Amino acid sequence: MIQQVDLLLTNIGQLLPMTSTGPRAGKAMQELTIIEDGAVGIKDGTVVFVGTSDAVTDIRADKVIDCEGKLVTPGLVDPHTHVVFGGSREHEMALKQQGVPYLEILKQGGGILSTVEATRKATEEELYKKASFYLDRMMTFGTTTVEVKSGYGLDAKTEMKQLKVAKQLQQHHKMDLVSTFLGAHAIPTSHKENPEQFLDEMLAMLDDIKEEELAEFVDIFTETGVFTVEQSRAYLQKAKEKGFQLKIHADEIDPLGGTEMAASLGATSADHLVGASDEGIKKLAESGTIAVLLPGTTFYLGKHTFARAREMIEQGVTVSLATDFNPGSSPTENLQLIMTIAALQLKMSPEEIWNAVTVNAAHAIGRGDEAGQLAVGRKADVVIWDAPNYLYIPYHYGVNHVNTVIKNGKIVAERMRIID
Ligand code: NIG
Ligand code: FE
C-alpha cells in the first residue's frame, strides 16, 4: 500500500534513532543503534517511518530531502538552562582573570545578584524578546527542547514575571520548554541575615505557581554561602509535598553533600556534581536520580577538576549533559560545544554523549515519552548534520554543524549561508 507523507528524508549516511524504553544508565549508555542508508518519513508533524532507504519505495512525499550521506539524529534536548534574565555580565571576565572566585563575586553583590538587579528592572516584553533570541540561537544549534529556570528575581514579583515569560515562550516560541522554579537561587541582599525567612517567602509562592501552571520543577542552589544541605532538604521536601518534581544545583563548587540529599528525596535530577562524593554517586545509581553534568560551566569558571562522569557511569548512574546557559558561569547556547568538552574533560565516549543529550536529557526534564528519540508516533524533531558520522560532532569543535533543523515536522533552521 502506498503511504503519503509530507516530508521524506532519504540517503541518510547514519541515522541515530536513539530509541530506548527508559533512560540509559551506566554501561547501557554505550548502546547506540545506527541505521545506515536510512530514511525518515514525517506526516502532520509526526514521525511515520524510520528505516532504511530501500524500504521507502511505497512512500510518496510532498517534499523529499536527499541527505547526501549526512548524519541525522533527534533534536537535541538541553535539560538545564537559565534563559530568562536581564542584562549581561561581560565585565566579570576581568575579575575572573584576576582570579576572583565565583562565590566571592557573588558575596560582593555581583554575579547572580547583579543579574537579579537587571532582571527586576526589565519589563516582561524585554525579557521575552531577549530570551526568544537565545532560544532561536539554540535552535540553530540543533536544540529542540529546553528546560528553563527562574531565579533572577529573588522576590515574588520578579520570580512571577520570569515564570510568566517562560510560559509565554512555551505558548509562542517554536522551542519546547519545560519550566523550573528556582526562587532559591541566591540569598537576596535584603535577607542576608535571615535566609530561612527568604525560603519561606519562596515556598509561599508554590500554590500560585501550581495553580497557574507556571512550573513543573522546583530547584535550589545548595552551596557555600548560599543554602545549606539542611535548608535545601526542608525546602525541597515541602515542594515535593505540593506536587512538584525536584531538581538541585548540588556540589558545584564545594562538596557539601547535596547529591546524596537529592537522591534520598527522589529528585528527578541532580545537577553540576563536580564535588559529588563516592557515597553521592552510589546513591544516584540506586535512586535513579539523573546526573545532569555541566562541563561548560567548569570550563568557563576556569576550574581544572571536572565532574567524575567515568565513575558515575561505571557505578550505573544515568548521565545527561546540558549547557547551563546563563549570563555568569556559562554564557553559551551551543550544546555541540558541551559535547566536545564532555569528550575531552569528562572522558565520555561519543556513544555516551549522544545518549546524554537526547534520551537521558529528555528523561531529566520529564519528557522521556516525547523528546530525544526518533520513533514512529513521536513528534518529528529532527536534525540533519553537516557531518558524515556521529563521532564527528564532538570531534570538530567550536562551530555549528547543523545543516537543517526540523521541529514538529517543519524546517525551522538551516545552516548559515554566504550571500553573494
Ligand atoms: O548553574 N550555580 C548557580 N547558578 C548558575 C549560575 C548562575 C549565574 O551565575 O548567573 C549555574 O552555574
Ligand atoms: Fe544552573
Side-chain angles (χ1 to χ4, degrees), residues 80 82 89 102 111-112 115 152 182 185 221 249 252 272 294 297 324 326-329:
H80 180 140
H82 308 246
R89 309 228 293 271
Y102 178 76
I112 295 173
T115 300
Y152 291 119
L182 178 58
H185 193 192
F221 188 17
H249 282 64
E252 173 181 353
H272 285 290
L294 311 164
T297 308
D324 193 16
N326 74 69
S329 66

Side-chain angles (χ1 to χ4, degrees), residues 80-82 85 89 92 96 102-103 106 110-116 149 151-152 182 185-186 219-223 226 249-250 252-253 271-272 294 297-298 301 323-330:
H80 180 140
T81 83
H82 308 246
F85 59 85
R89 309 228 293 271
E92 279 177 18
K96 283 197 182 95
Y102 178 76
L103 291 178
L106 177 62
I112 295 173
L113 292 175
S114 80
T115 300
V116 167
K149 300 174 194 295
Y152 291 119
L182 178 58
H185 193 192
D219 193 344
I220 188 165
F221 188 17
T222 307
E223 187 57 70
V226 192
H249 282 64
E252 173 181 353
I253 295 159
D271 303 29
H272 285 290
L294 311 164
T297 308
T298 316
L301 292 180
T323 58
D324 193 16
F325 174 71
N326 74 69
S329 66
S330 188

Side-chain angles (χ1 to χ4, degrees), residues 250-293:
D251 300 328
E252 173 181 353
I253 295 159
D254 292 332
L256 300 186
T259 312
E260 293 86 317
M261 186 270 284
S264 72
L265 284 178
T268 304
S269 77
D271 303 29
H272 285 290
L273 313 182
V274 178
S277 67
D278 292 346
E279 185 60 17
I281 292 176
K282 201 167 139 235
K283 289 265 160 42
L284 289 177
E286 284 165 8
S287 64
T289 295
I290 297 176
V292 176
L293 304 184

Side-chain angles (χ1 to χ4, degrees), residues 331-345:
T332 183
E333 295 92 337
N334 182 355
L335 196 50
Q336 297 168 50
L337 176 60
I338 305 305
M339 294 166 79
T340 297
I341 304 175
L344 295 174
Q345 301 291 352

